[in-house]
Amino acid sequence: MSEHVPGAVITVSDRCASGEREDNSGPLAKKILAMHGVDVGEVVLVPDGVDNVERALREALAAGARVVITVGGTGITPRDLTPEATRPFLEAELPGIATQIVMRGLKKTPLAGLSRGLVGVTGRGENAALIVNAPGSKGGVRDVIDVIGPLVPHVLEQLGGQDGAPHQN
């Protein structure tokens, strides 16, 4: 990818947001995304919960992020509500990519099958963004970005690219 794409990483974790645990997965996502031409500023830390995630997603999109990765909150505990917070932002879900992510994870651990992470786009135009829910583990983050990283240029081209015109490769 010749140009850099504005992105955002949102870590969703009660323990990380309270300072009880260090966020290792969000910074890893930022680092790996950079290898795919996605520029992420500071990783945003929010507690679990629909309102917190919705607010962070709204802020990332308003700031112009074209690729937004949430990290955490995709499991089945009562506080794992990241998919519920994400779904209203998605005009089109991309279940094939979500399936690819789970399949990659299942090669390493059966726990990958517990993820409910969504993948989708916020619209179908030049300002639309790709939103991906990654699990909170470092392995889950690697699996997600290993799948979506190479697809980012094509997804954004399909949406109209950063400048509204298809990318010229």
Side-chain angles (χ1 to χ4, degrees), residues 29-101:
K30 175 181 174 173
K31 178 181 175 183
I32 301 172
L33 283 169
M35 292 183 228
H36 292 282
V38 179
D39 292 332
V40 174
E42 291 298 312
V43 173
V44 174
L45 264 161
V46 299
D48 288 285
V50 171
D51 292 343
N52 298 320
V53 176
E54 283 181 345
R55 186 176 317 107
L57 286 169
R58 216 174 358 267
E59 290 171 4
L61 295 169
R66 297 291 311 279
V67 177
V68 181
I69 307 293
T70 64
V71 177
T74 63
I76 56 172
T77 72
R79 302 262 311 144
D80 287 333
L81 299 170
T82 300
E84 286 78 4
T86 302
R87 185 166 275 118
F89 289 87
L90 302 181
E91 180 178 299
E93 290 187 37
L94 302 171
I97 297 175
T99 299
Q100 280 183 273
I101 292 167

